[in-house]
Amino acid sequence: MKNGRTLVISPNWIGDAVMAQPLLQRLKAQHPERPIDVLSPPSVAPVWRAVPEVDTVLETPFRHKALQLRERWKYAQVLRARGYLAAYVLPNTLKYALIPWLAGIPRRVGYKGEMRYGLVNVMHLDDTPPRPMVPFYAALALEPNAPLAPAPRPRLQVPDERIAAACARHGVEAGRPLIVFAPGAEFGPAKRWPPRHFGELAQAILVQQADARIALLGSPKDRETCDEVVAHAGPAAAAMLNLAGQTQLDEAIALIARAAAVVANDSGLLHIASSLNRPVVALYGPTDPEHAPPFSDMARALSLRLDCSPCRQRECPLGHHNCLEQMEAPIVWKELAPMLAR
């Protein structure tokens, strides 16, 4: 089975999947002859379809948080037939480590996680304190305790025809500058820059670039937040496209690939923009920009570095949310304006 395959079991979050992509760059460099398959939740699969090192994306058929041991055994037999030589288990849960073990994959690499001795047989020890996410995942391509080499940057690729199709479907005119806002964040309200600040920023953009189009991207859960942004945008609202909940993830990726710049909270869409090498202004409040920074050639990670941050809480434990409330629109505009003036 010299020419077998490699399996990567994806994280469950969009941003984590993006930040795991450098692992695949290392794996492909080590074994260019081996196809790499990714087993991914359906919600994350469009990210992996934009990863050039991936041969096949397999979507998990399991319910969220359910063990489903019988279903995992059946699916493992499907994987067994594909002839994998190695599996890289990126989620830290026991249930995902079961799959390559049940499939009889001889080399099973991952972090200790939920005490997965035996299920993972090439075990790396979880970091205390944790490393930034990109080198954390990329280290799995090395032997445990090997000296750490600088990790590659995450990279996604989107064909031009897919970008054109997404723009045509959602009303983004050719030749018109596109700025993307990502006002949502899955982690919780503490990570969201206030909608009124986004609205004020939109007005500043339109003063400098009157022909710009501003697209608001996010999931259906972000629709209300994006509606608030539009409500605070004043005359700039006429230039905004509120697409929260209106795009599939693959379309959102394509629109971001077309963007002249992206302004985003610490979220999956931020890391997609970074991996597409778009100019990015990344807004950090309760989270640490050193843990998951943007990697674009033109990127600014903004944090007020208050004494109470990063608290890593879903809601502000002090009730004031100053880490993002006090990051007013002129602070962000100062970083964004040079990107748009290029």
Side-chain angles (χ1 to χ4, degrees):
M1 293 182 61
K2 175 172 76 169
N3 297 320
R5 309 176 75 86
T6 295
L7 178 68
V8 173
I9 300 182
S10 170
N12 291 318
W13 298 97
I14 290 169
D16 284 8
V18 172
M19 290 184 283
Q21 191 274 341
L23 166 64
L24 279 72
Q25 294 184 47
R26 280 187 173 171
L27 295 177
K28 181 55 79 171
Q30 290 171 357
H31 297 285
E33 77 288 356
R34 285 191 195 173
I36 300 174
D37 296 348
V38 175
L39 180 61
S40 168
S43 60
V44 178
V47 171
W48 292 111
R49 294 193 179 100
V51 171
E53 290 79 13
V54 173
D55 183 78
T56 304
V57 178
L58 307 168
E59 296 190 10
T60 55
F62 314 117
R63 295 190 306 275
H64 183 54
K65 294 186 178 180
L67 180 58
Q68 295 181 279
L69 187 57
R70 180 184 296 274
E71 288 80 1
R72 288 175 196 274
W73 183 86
K74 289 181 179 178
Y75 196 75
Q77 307 321 302
V78 174
L79 296 179
R80 184 186 292 268
R82 293 180 67 84
Y84 294 109
L85 295 179
Y88 294 79
V89 187
L90 306 192
N92 276 337
T93 58
L94 185 71
K95 62 188 178 184
Y96 278 107
L98 277 170
I99 296 169
W101 178 70
L102 291 169
I105 299 173
R107 182 177 173 86
R108 305 181 298 276
V109 184
Y111 286 97
K112 181 176 69 172
E114 295 180 345
M115 302 296 287
R116 303 184 296 182
Y117 295 103
L119 299 180
V120 171
N121 60 6
V122 180
M123 183 172 287
H124 294 242
L125 297 180
D126 306 79
D127 290 333
T128 305
R131 247 177 301 170
M133 294 301 292
V134 168
F136 177 76
Y137 285 130
L140 293 176
L142 310 175
E143 291 300 318
N145 303 316
L148 295 178
R153 296 196 310 188
R155 62 177 185 183
L156 302 183
Q157 293 180 358
V158 184
D160 290 343
E161 58 270 21
R162 190 175 301 167
I163 296 172
C167 289
R169 180 177 177 191
H170 295 289
V172 178
E173 302 91 333
R176 188 170 181 177
L178 177 67
I179 293 90
V180 167
F181 287 177
E186 287 292 326
F187 179 77
K191 284 176 70 171
R192 297 180 191 140
W193 199 42
R196 72 178 186 282
H197 291 348
F198 271 110
E200 291 168 10
L201 182 63
Q203 294 179 57
I205 291 169
L206 269 295
V207 168
Q208 176 168 308
Q209 292 199 341
D211 62 338
R213 176 71 87 179
I214 300 172
L216 309 182
L217 297 182
S219 71
K221 291 184 286 188
D222 300 321
R223 184 73 190 192
E224 182 177 349
T225 298
C226 290
D227 286 342
E228 292 181 45
V229 173
V230 174
H232 285 287
M240 304 181 89
L241 292 171
N242 187 354
L243 301 180
Q246 305 300 308
T247 62
Q248 300 296 319
L249 180 57
D250 58 347
E251 292 180 311
I253 293 171
L255 291 172
I256 290 171
R258 161 73 165 75
V262 177
V263 181
N265 299 322
D266 181 11
S267 65
L269 294 182
L270 163 65
H271 300 298
I272 285 170
S274 177
S275 68
L276 291 166
N277 204 26
R278 296 294 80 214
V280 167
V281 180
L283 313 174
Y284 294 85
T287 55
D288 184 356
E290 300 299 324
H291 186 62
F295 289 89
S296 304
D297 289 341
M298 294 187 68
R300 288 289 292 144
L302 296 185
S303 171
L304 297 182
R305 305 276 185 184
L306 302 183
D307 289 343
C308 56
S309 64
C311 67
R312 301 180 179 85
Q313 300 299 309
R314 292 178 179 271
E315 297 185 12
C316 177
L318 301 178
H320 53 57
H321 202 209
N322 284 346
C323 58
L324 288 174
E325 287 284 349
Q326 294 180 357
M327 188 187 291
E328 296 183 343
I331 296 173
V332 179
W333 174 241
K334 181 180 178 181
E335 305 301 334
L336 178 63
M339 297 180 181
L340 299 181
R342 291 183 307 143

